[in-house]
Amino acid sequence: MIKQREDFARITGKIESFREDMVRDLADLVRCRSVLSEAEDGAPFGRGVAEAYHRMLKIGEREGFDVFDCDGYGGHIDFGGPEKNGVMGILCHLDVVAEGGGWNHDPFGACVEDGVMYGRGTLDDKGPAIAAFYAMKALKECGIVPEKKVRMVLGLDEETGSIGMEHYLQKVNMPDFAIVPDSDFPLVNGEMGILTFDLVRRTGKADRGGISLKRLNGGNAPNMVPDSACAVIMSENGYDEVKEAAVRFSERTGYSVITKGRGRRLEILCRGKSAHGAMPQKGVNAVSILMGFLGELDFDSSGINDFIRFYNRHIGFDLSGEKIGCGHLRDEISGRLIWNTGMLSMDSESVSVTVNVRCPVSCCDEDVYAAIRPVLEEYEIGIVKRMYKEPLYYPEESRIVQTLLAVYRDCTGDTKSRPLVIGGGTYAREMKNAVAFGALYPGDPDIMHEPEECVRIDRLIQTAGIYADAICRLAGTSGEETER
């Protein structure tokens, strides 16, 4: 470990000398639109993700580290002692969520203004990855070689399912313990369970008079608050009443509902504000706005009307799932369940919403499904289960929690902030003895998954110093300190 603060000052001084290089390398990564897209040869998660991944591997090679590529599904950059001494993982990811709307800066432009870099991934998770990498480089150039192998693992689909990590772990042994620079400081000792599912209602053919709903869509990803949602309708009686209703709805609620003629059809566009699905209270759900307005119209399909009625009565803007039957799912450690409607869609046979739920650490997915099933049966709505990740929790007295808390406190002087339980999910769930550690500081705005995502360059430098200290304490001591 770093035994003297003089040693730490030497390392952080080295990191400071890398400032321009860190900005350059992060900018190169941010300019890659590494959002999941159609698979190509050698790029299972799309060209943009592959571009960011290979740039990071080249950065590792450039600095003299050993790198490994696991069939394009992920890889790692190695530093330190032999594997027989144990392996410390640093689990990062280079994929990002879609940019969404509401940006004042190019979301993939990596613009730097007043010491701040703007762009998707600057906080989640390209910025922290660069900080961790330069922590390794600083130690290397200071002649400090950890006893254990330090392995910076590069994930490529953390935001969309972690299939790549599963593939990687089939080829590479799991680290003995790990930190995950993809959340908050001082550290995260608990992550709520995450489940994603579709709620689907068959619509059938028109069975009554009324407006015909031709198209319905909204949202970019299940784990984002949708910032836009759209409906396209057709009516033989014109659209004056619908347009007037939209104006009244906007005036009454303050929400944005815009109508535009599209040939013989009318488009209804609602604007909200995107946010991370784990913190839906920070956004404004455009799907809920649209469904609220559509509830004031009368459609020619009973199935459509029933689904809209269900949504507004039992979901709407409720972020805890109480209206749909989840009000009792809570505990002292993690609080109430978190409910986010992330996407809306319709085809010729059905209408559906995709829901992303964060459940308390004392609950599981079946508790959620059991709670909502009575309401769904009433409206003839089915569930399509898509994903579930179990909750994660380390008691505060566990050694890895206490070690990382000491690192944070020694490096920042902040002795008041406590370990957190979050609704977000990280790679800490994928491996044993893994704890999310930074890189968002207490009091700093959390704009991951939001417009104008950005990082202060000074914070990037500070974070690299913290990770350097963590590497020395965890990879330079016996494995006992990292046991759960």
Side-chain angles (χ1 to χ4, degrees):
M1 62 179 290
I2 302 175
K3 297 182 181 298
Q4 299 179 2
R5 302 321 292 170
E6 291 81 1
D7 293 334
F8 182 67
R10 182 165 60 94
I11 293 167
T12 55
K14 178 65 71 172
I15 292 170
E16 177 61 43
S17 74
F18 298 150
R19 178 181 289 261
E20 292 185 4
D21 294 338
M22 293 176 70
V23 171
R24 179 200 64 220
D25 286 342
L26 178 55
D28 285 344
L29 290 180
V30 170
R31 292 188 184 108
C32 301
R33 188 179 184 276
S34 52
V35 178
L36 178 70
S37 61
E38 186 175 351
E40 300 180 14
D41 289 341
F45 306 112
R47 182 176 301 176
V49 174
E51 182 181 3
Y53 172 53
H54 289 293
R55 285 192 186 186
M56 191 69 229
L57 289 179
K58 287 180 180 179
I59 291 170
E61 290 177 334
R62 182 192 74 202
E63 301 301 336
F65 294 106
D66 294 328
V67 305
F68 171 76
D69 169 32
C70 187
D71 309 320
Y73 283 84
H76 62 241
I77 299 172
D78 273 356
F79 167 57
E83 287 193 36
K84 67 180 182 179
N85 292 346
V87 178
M88 171 187 176
I90 304 176
L91 312 181
C92 306
H93 70 89
L94 300 174
D95 61 311
V96 298
V97 297
E99 60 272 30
W103 289 78
N104 296 318
H105 297 83
D106 181 349
F108 300 104
C111 175
V112 178
E113 292 181 357
D114 300 323
V116 176
M117 182 184 292
Y118 294 86
R120 182 61 84 215
T122 50
L123 280 178
D124 182 16
D125 187 40
K126 294 175 180 179
I130 286 293
F133 176 80
Y134 273 89
M136 293 164 55
K137 179 182 177 181
L139 294 173
K140 180 172 178 283
E141 294 201 4
C142 286
I144 299 173
V145 180
E147 173 189 336
K148 297 177 174 60
K149 177 74 69 182
V150 178
R151 176 160 290 163
M152 182 176 174
V153 180
L154 306 174
L156 304 182
D157 68 330
E158 192 268 355
E159 299 288 3
T160 54
S162 300
I163 294 173
M165 187 61 67
E166 294 175 9
H167 182 95
Y168 171 84
L169 291 175
Q170 290 175 359
K171 302 283 185 78
V172 181
N173 290 333
M174 187 180 295
D176 299 292
F177 59 94
I179 62 171
V180 184
D182 188 24
S183 192
D184 297 75
F185 284 128
L187 73 140
V188 172
N189 68 320
E191 298 183 13
M192 299 172 75
I194 304 177
L195 56 155
T196 300
F197 52 89
D198 298 332
L199 300 180
V200 185
R201 173 65 152 85
R202 294 185 65 86
T203 55
K205 298 180 179 179
D207 55 5
R208 58 198 302 279
I211 298 169
S212 179
L213 184 60
K214 297 298 185 182
R215 183 162 65 90
L216 197 61
N217 65 275
N220 297 300
N223 61 346
M224 292 180 68
V225 177
D227 63 355
S228 66
C230 175
V232 175
I233 63 173
M234 178 176 283
S235 173
E236 298 297 332
N237 299 320
Y239 302 109
D240 288 345
E241 291 186 6
V242 176
K243 293 178 181 179
E244 292 171 1
V247 172
R248 291 194 301 270
F249 183 87
S250 295
E251 291 176 346
R252 185 176 74 251
T253 64
Y255 297 131
S256 173
V257 179
I258 301 170
T259 57
K260 294 181 180 180
R262 299 295 185 190
R264 296 179 56 212
R265 300 181 178 186
L266 184 72
E267 179 184 73
I268 303 168
L269 179 63
C270 296
R271 295 291 186 188
K273 178 185 175 184
S274 67
H276 197 298
M279 292 168 284
Q281 73 279 4
K282 299 182 65 177
V284 179
N285 196 307
V287 167
S288 294
I289 296 172
L290 178 62
M291 296 294 272
F293 174 67
L294 296 182
E296 300 190 358
L297 307 181
D298 191 20
F299 293 97
D300 61 5
S301 165
S302 297
I304 290 290
N305 287 323
D306 286 347
F307 188 83
I308 294 171
R309 188 177 303 111
F310 150 75
Y311 188 95
N312 291 325
R313 286 182 179 177
H314 298 287
I315 299 178
F317 293 94
D318 177 19
L319 305 181
S320 66
E322 185 168 359
K323 291 183 177 180
I324 201 170
C326 297
H328 64 290
L329 298 180
R330 64 178 73 190
D331 58 36
E332 292 184 4
I333 296 172
S334 46
R336 307 178 73 176
L337 175 144
I338 301 170
W339 180 288
N340 178 61
T341 301
M343 302 177 74
L344 169 70
S345 63
M346 186 184 78
D347 58 27
S348 60
E349 297 182 348
S350 63
V351 58
S352 67
V353 290
T354 301
V355 179
N356 184 239
V357 165
R358 317 293 164 126
C359 62
V361 297
S362 60
C363 303
C364 70
D365 56 340
E366 290 304 323
D367 294 324
V368 176
Y369 294 133
I372 67 177
R373 194 165 283 118
V375 171
L376 301 184
E377 291 176 350
E378 179 184 349
Y379 288 88
E380 300 180 356
I381 292 172
I383 303 174
V384 178
K385 301 176 183 179
R386 297 178 58 175
M387 180 272 288
Y388 174 57
K389 294 184 178 181
E390 295 182 354
L392 174 72
Y393 181 67
Y394 294 90
E396 286 196 30
E397 60 271 17
S398 62
R399 289 182 177 178
I400 192 167
V401 171
Q402 288 298 310
T403 300
L404 292 174
L405 186 60
V407 170
Y408 170 80
R409 288 176 170 175
D410 289 346
C411 291
T412 65
D414 174 12
T415 60
K416 294 182 179 180
S417 298
R418 304 296 306 168
L420 305 169
V421 174
I422 63 169
T426 75
Y427 273 147
R429 302 170 193 266
E430 307 297 328
M431 300 185 183
K432 63 183 181 181
N433 296 331
V435 174
F437 184 51
L440 184 69
Y441 290 79
D444 285 2
D446 183 355
I447 47 179
M448 301 180 193
H449 293 208
E450 295 187 28
E452 296 295 279
E453 181 180 347
C454 62
V455 65
R456 286 167 45 197
I457 305 304
D458 286 345
R459 283 299 201 204
L460 197 67
I461 303 298
Q462 182 181 15
T463 299
I466 293 174
Y467 290 151
D469 199 351
I471 289 170
C472 289
R473 297 198 199 195
L474 293 173
T477 59
S478 66
E480 293 180 358
E481 282 201 14
T482 66
E483 291 178 357
R484 189 171 180 175

